[in-house]
């Protein structure tokens, strides 16, 4: 099947645009009338709702950034009174108060619809059993995947994140067909299966739907090999809806994730100037919600860095986004060079002596910023070498890998980094949620 809503997912672009434009006009009028923040934004910038006729007029509207949600905490951006809100979620604010988002019943319907489309795109079918290892609670992941899977007609195991032993037991006993979690937690599960010597054929998983943090092709390979399944990306954020804003098709893996653009209109803009960028250019992703009722947002600045393209899509007409390189606010600036941890990850993928378990440690001596890459060596090779050598990390093969990593980082990224080889299992793993790959010691 793979397409959950064929009519919408394959709608000709001109028809899709008309639908978007019609909904956009309604949304703008509604926001102007009901949300003081937007009325003020329009008035103070000399924009009237009638100035926004099509998605091509969006550039006239200033961005809505995260601070707008903080300033209007908790319900100031809602278009409806609290008693008309069916559900509230929060996303982890970095400081103090969280970001609050609200959904009407209709919003929850749409949330389920886009997640159902995403699961179908990832290969899931009605009647399959989904082990939902996304966190349940204020985080949008758990409940978001849950209702989407039910809408598709799947059976849901609401196990939530963590509890690896139990995950592995129920996965085998219930013969789960699919699992959703963070990519780093999928790696944890794969590693445990190996370590415990669990017979891989006792695991029936066919599909993994992974998201909530950036990941690269190397991780996909490790997860797919370790769990013997097909792993696809799912992307989203609370402010716009939650997971299911975009998703990969399992038969078109590696060509980007379809954005369900009948509901979420994307733009890519320059991270410094905010200027709209053409398809293919990398910049900050923004979304305008076209159908959301409780808390619609115009040109919401996600801070996520990616690019958009129509070219490679074939099954569906909707636009695709490239994998997220990172969040603009997680981007390290080291001696004038911009750095995302995914860039180091993408290099590690091609060095078989090294695993994808790594951490970047950023520190400052005097005025110089330094990055140290702590890279765990490949476990199998380490085991093999250990039989002949007391200090396997000193082995030539590992030392050559270290030099290669150093050189590739210098060539590809333009930075000299200190490389420290680490023993297998010495770097922290995901215990159920997102994994922090960067330790910034400059922040005290
Ligand atoms: P929180 O902020 O509490 O972690 P959110 O779910 O709102 O909760 O986080 C959304 C953010 O997570 C996105 O803006 C993006 O940075 C990241 N994210 C979500 N899915 C993916 C994905 N598939 N790939 C890369 N990053 C992702
Ligand atoms: K590798």
């Amino acid at each position: 099947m793979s397409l959950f809503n064929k009519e919408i997912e394959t709608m000709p672009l001109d028809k899709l645009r008309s639908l978007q434009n019609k909904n956009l006009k309604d949304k703008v009028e509604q926001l102007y009338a009901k949300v003081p923040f937007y009325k003020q934004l329009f008035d103070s910038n000399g924009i009237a709702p009638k100035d926004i006729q099509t998605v091509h007029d969006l550039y006239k509207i200033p961005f809505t950034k995260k601070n707008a949600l903080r300033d209007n905490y908790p319900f100031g951006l809602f278009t409806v009174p609290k008693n008309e809100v069916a559900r509230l979620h929060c996303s982890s604010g970095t400081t103090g108060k969280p970001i609050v988002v609200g959904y009407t019943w209709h919003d929850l319907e749409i949330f389920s619809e886009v997640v159902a489309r995403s699961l179908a795109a990832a290969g899931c079918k009605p009647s399959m059993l989904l082990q939902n290892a996304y966190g349940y609670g204020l985080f949008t992941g758990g409940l978001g995947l849950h209702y989407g899977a039910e809408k598709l007609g799947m059976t849901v195991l609401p196990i939530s994140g963590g509890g690896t032993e139990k995950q592995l037991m129920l996965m085998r006993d219930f013969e789960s067909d699919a699992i959703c979690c963070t990519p780093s937690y999928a790696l944890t599960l794969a590693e445990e299966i190996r370590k415990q010597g669990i017979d891989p054929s006792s695991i029936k998983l066919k599909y993994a739907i992974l998201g909530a943090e950036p990941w690269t092709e190397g991780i996909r390979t490790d997860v797919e090999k370790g769990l013997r399944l097909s792993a696809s990306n799912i992307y989203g954020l609370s402010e716009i809806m939650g997971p299911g804003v975009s998703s990969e098709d399992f038969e078109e893996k590696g060509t980007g994730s379809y954005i369900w653009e009948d509901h979420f209109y994307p733009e890519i803009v320059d991270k410094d100037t905010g200027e709209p960028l053409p398809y293919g250019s990398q910049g900050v992703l923004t979304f305008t919600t076209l159908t959301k009722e409780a808390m619609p947002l115009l040109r919401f600045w996600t801070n996520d860095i990616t690019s958009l393209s129509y070219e490679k899509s074939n099954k569906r007409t909707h636009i695709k986004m490239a994998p997220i390189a990172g969040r603009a606010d997680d981007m390290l600036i080291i001696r004038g060079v911009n750095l995302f941890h995914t860039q180091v990850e993408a290099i590690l993928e091609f060095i078989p002596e090294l695993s994808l378990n790594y951490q970047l440690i950023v520190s400052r001596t005097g005025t110089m910023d330094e990055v140290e890459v702590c890279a765990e060596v490949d476990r199998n090779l380490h085991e093999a070498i250990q039989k002949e050598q007391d200090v396997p990390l000193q082995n030539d093969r590992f030392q050559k890998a270290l030099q290669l990593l150093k050189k590739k980082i210098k060539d590809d990224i333009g930075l000299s980094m200190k490389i420290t080889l680490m023993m297998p299992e010495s770097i922290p793993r995901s215990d159920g949620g997102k994994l922090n790959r960067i330790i910034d010691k400059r922040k005290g």
Side-chain angles (χ1 to χ4, degrees):
M1 119 170 213
S2 161
L3 273 71
F4 176 74
N5 185 337
K6 189 159 182 239
E7 190 195 336
I8 292 284
E9 293 178 48
T10 61
M11 183 177 267
L13 261 190
D14 53 340
K15 246 181 113 183
L16 188 58
R17 279 291 173 268
S18 324
L19 180 68
Q20 289 171 324
N21 292 338
K22 180 187 157 298
N23 285 331
L24 174 65
K25 278 196 286 186
D26 291 352
K27 230 8 87 179
V28 165
E29 264 165 35
Q30 185 196 5
L31 281 170
Y32 188 80
K34 292 192 173 164
V35 180
F37 167 82
Y38 276 112
K39 180 171 189 326
Q40 215 175 353
L41 187 76
F42 274 55
D43 289 350
S44 63
N45 285 279
I47 312 164
K50 67 164 173 34
D51 296 336
I52 312 300
Q53 291 294 318
T54 76
V55 292
H56 302 297
D57 295 319
L58 277 170
Y59 74 92
K60 298 171 187 168
I61 308 172
F63 302 107
T64 300
K65 295 195 173 175
K66 241 188 173 90
N67 64 327
L69 282 90
R70 293 216 175 87
D71 296 345
N72 292 282
Y73 178 88
F75 307 137
L77 292 181
F78 289 9
T79 62
V80 294
K82 190 173 72 178
N83 65 342
E84 285 175 37
V85 169
R87 197 197 296 164
L88 295 165
H89 274 291
C90 295
S91 104
S92 53
T94 34
T95 48
K97 307 270 193 196
I99 298 283
V100 184
V101 297
Y103 306 77
T104 62
W105 274 110
H106 185 251
D107 290 337
L108 292 177
E109 266 301 303
I110 291 172
F111 196 176
S112 299
E113 154 87 24
V114 294
V115 171
R117 285 187 209 172
S118 301
L119 287 166
C124 295
K125 292 187 178 59
S127 84
M128 283 186 176
L129 173 59
L130 176 71
Q131 182 155 340
N132 185 4
Y134 264 137
Y136 279 68
L138 288 178
F139 173 57
T140 49
L143 289 181
L145 263 298
H146 183 104
Y147 288 107
E150 286 189 355
K151 183 157 186 104
L152 178 60
M154 300 179 80
T155 308
V156 188
L157 178 64
I159 189 165
S160 197
T164 303
E165 283 301 312
K166 195 164 196 171
Q167 299 275 0
L168 296 178
M169 178 177 78
L170 299 189
M171 178 187 293
R172 282 176 290 162
D173 292 352
F174 298 176
E175 304 195 337
S176 303
D177 298 290
I179 186 164
C180 53
C181 58
T182 61
S184 56
Y185 192 54
L187 283 178
T188 299
L189 292 171
E191 191 168 33
E192 266 320 297
I193 288 169
R194 221 205 75 115
K195 256 169 65 181
Q196 296 184 16
I198 294 172
D199 174 11
S201 70
S202 67
I203 290 172
K204 308 293 181 196
L205 291 173
K206 293 171 202 70
Y207 303 107
I209 302 90
L210 308 178
E213 63 186 1
W215 57 304
T216 58
E217 287 302 321
I219 302 234
R220 188 191 328 256
T221 307
D222 283 4
V223 170
E224 291 191 335
K225 277 195 190 142
L227 295 174
R228 304 214 284 189
L229 45 67
S230 166
S232 307
N233 183 50
I234 188 166
Y235 165 87
L237 64 165
S238 316
E239 292 89 341
I240 298 306
M241 186 65 97
V245 170
S246 79
S247 191
E248 242 176 346
D249 185 287
F250 76 117
E251 289 169 331
E252 298 173 4
K253 270 187 299 198
T255 64
S257 300
Y258 286 108
I259 294 173
W260 306 122
E261 58 167 315
D262 51 325
H263 297 298
F264 318 112
Y265 184 79
E267 294 171 87
I268 293 287
V269 301
D270 184 281
K271 75 172 171 41
D272 299 314
T273 66
E275 282 303 310
L277 297 176
Y279 296 142
S281 315
Q282 201 182 50
V284 171
L285 179 63
T286 75
F287 282 110
T288 296
T289 63
L290 300 171
T291 54
K292 204 132 164 256
E293 286 181 346
M295 204 188 80
L297 295 174
L298 302 176
R299 306 193 85 202
F300 181 74
W301 183 278
T302 65
N303 237 336
D304 292 324
I305 304 286
T306 183
S307 59
L308 300 175
S309 73
Y310 276 112
E311 294 123 65
K312 286 176 185 159
S313 351
N314 36 33
K315 274 196 207 170
R316 299 169 182 79
T317 47
H318 295 222
I319 201 162
K320 279 179 175 175
M321 58 184 253
I324 301 289
R327 271 151 100 129
D329 48 357
D330 288 340
M331 188 181 75
L332 298 166
I333 304 177
I334 306 294
R335 305 192 290 274
V337 176
N338 298 345
L339 172 71
F340 288 114
H341 68 81
T342 49
Q343 291 174 275
V344 174
E345 193 173 292
I347 294 174
L348 282 170
E349 180 190 345
F350 296 102
I351 307 182
E353 294 82 5
L354 305 179
S355 76
L356 289 164
N357 299 300
Y358 69 98
Q359 248 177 2
L360 304 187
I361 299 176
V362 189
S363 59
R364 179 171 293 162
T365 20
T367 55
M368 274 291 265
D369 288 334
E370 302 284 354
V371 183
E372 175 184 4
V373 183
C374 296
E376 244 182 61
V377 296
D378 179 74
R379 173 213 308 269
N380 292 335
L381 185 59
H382 187 269
E383 262 171 29
I385 295 175
Q386 207 163 26
K387 291 182 185 135
E388 288 140 33
Q389 196 171 344
D390 288 343
V391 192
L393 295 189
Q394 300 289 349
N395 183 276
D396 226 35
R397 286 195 63 187
F398 286 142
Q399 289 303 314
K400 277 192 183 138
L402 181 153
Q403 292 308 330
L404 180 62
L405 178 60
K406 202 175 170 65
K407 179 174 185 310
K408 290 221 47 122
I409 287 176
K410 176 82 191 147
D411 292 350
D412 296 2
I413 304 175
L415 281 170
S416 293
M417 295 187 196
K418 180 179 176 206
I419 317 286
T420 305
L421 295 184
M422 308 284 291
M423 303 265 286
E425 283 180 62
S426 55
I427 302 245
R429 304 296 200 260
S430 163
D431 54 7
K434 307 191 189 202
L435 182 64
N436 193 8
R437 299 279 192 181
I438 300 171
I439 298 179
D440 199 339
K441 292 188 169 164
R442 297 172 304 180
K443 289 176 182 161

